[in-house]
Amino acid sequence: MTYLKNGVLFAVMMLVALITPLPPALAQDCGQETFQDARYIVCTVEPGKADLRLFWNDVNGEPYRYFSRVAEAVGKEGRALTFAMNAGMYRADFSPIGLYVENGRELRPANTAGGEGSAGLLPNFYKKPNGVFFLDDAGAGILPTDQFLKLRPKVRFATQSGPLLVMQNKLHPAFISGSTDRTRRSGVGVCGGGTVRFAASDDTVNFHEFARLFRDHFKCPNALFLDGGRGVGIYNPAMGRNDRSWHGGFGPIFGVVE
C-alpha cells in the first residue's frame, strides 16, 4: 500500500507539473557589462517577445518627461514598465528633433537639415549620416535617414537620431580613435537575429569606443547614437535605476511593457 500511495502521489505530482504554467521567459534583460575598462548598463530586448514601444506625450498631450510618469500611465492599463531609455534628442519643449512615429502615426517629420553649431561645433544629431530606428511587422531595424525616406517602410514606431554609430559593420567616418571628447553616452543596436541591444555608459567614453561596443562586443551590424552627457537615462526597477535628465526631463522614450 505504501508503494501504491507513493506511486499515486508521484503521478499526481507529475500531472500538476504538466498543467502548472511556467513563468514566462523575460522578453527583456538588463545587466552590467564592461568593455575596454568602461562600465555599461546593457539591456537586451527581443522584439518578437517584448512589447517595445515609444512614448512621448500623455493623454493630455503633455510630454511625459520622466520615466516614472510613463510607468504610472502603463500601470493604469494593468501593465508594468520594466525598462525605459531616452529615445533620441529633443528640443527645449521636449519635442523630438527629427522623425517620430508612434502607433503608426507620424507625429514629427524627418529632419534633413544640415544644422549649425556654436564655435564651429556641429551638434551630434546633424553629423551625417544620422539614422532612424524603427519597428515594423518584421521586427526592428536601423537605416540611414536618406535610405529610410527612399524606402518609406510601413512602421509602428520610429525615432530619428544621430549620428549613426555603426553602418553595415563600419564605424561612422567622423569617429577618431583616442578622441578626448569623452562623456556618458547611450545608444541602440540591431544585432544578430534581430535582437535589440540598448546601452548606456556609466563611465565617460568617446564615440569611437562607444561604436566599437556595438560592432565588436555585441556584433551589431547597425547601431544608432541616442544622446549623451546630461541626456543619458535608463529605467530598470530590477536594478534600482530610475534616472532623471538634468535637462528637466526627456523627450521621446523607449519602453518595454509587460
Side-chain angles (χ1 to χ4, degrees), residues 163-177:
L164 282 166
L165 297 169
V166 186
M167 303 160 286
Q168 296 299 309
N169 290 306
K170 295 182 179 180
L171 303 189
H172 193 289
F175 297 165
I176 301 171
S177 177

Side-chain angles (χ1 to χ4, degrees), residues 17-18 22 38 44 100 102 107 113 124 160 162 171 188 208-209 216:
L18 288 172
L22 295 173
T44 302
Y100 183 83
E102 185 176 321
L107 303 182
N124 288 323
Q160 183 186 5
L171 303 189
V188 59
H208 194 273
E209 294 164 349
D216 301 344

Side-chain angles (χ1 to χ4, degrees), residues 148-232:
F148 182 90
L149 294 177
K150 287 179 182 177
L151 295 173
R152 284 288 181 182
K154 186 178 180 181
V155 300
R156 288 182 291 113
F157 296 97
T159 181
Q160 183 186 5
S161 192
L164 282 166
L165 297 169
V166 186
M167 303 160 286
Q168 296 299 309
N169 290 306
K170 295 182 179 180
L171 303 189
H172 193 289
F175 297 165
I176 301 171
S177 177
S179 169
T180 58
D181 178 16
R182 308 181 69 83
T183 187
R184 293 185 62 218
R185 303 186 191 275
S186 62
V188 59
V190 178
C191 315
T195 297
V196 178
R197 299 268 188 148
F198 293 92
S201 70
D202 273 338
D203 293 316
T204 61
V205 294
N206 63 35
F207 266 123
H208 194 273
E209 294 164 349
F210 193 49
R212 288 191 57 241
L213 170 78
F214 286 94
R215 187 191 67 178
D216 301 344
H217 189 57
F218 298 150
K219 309 301 181 184
C220 301
N222 298 288
L224 181 65
F225 179 66
L226 294 174
D227 213 338
R230 298 178 177 182
V232 174

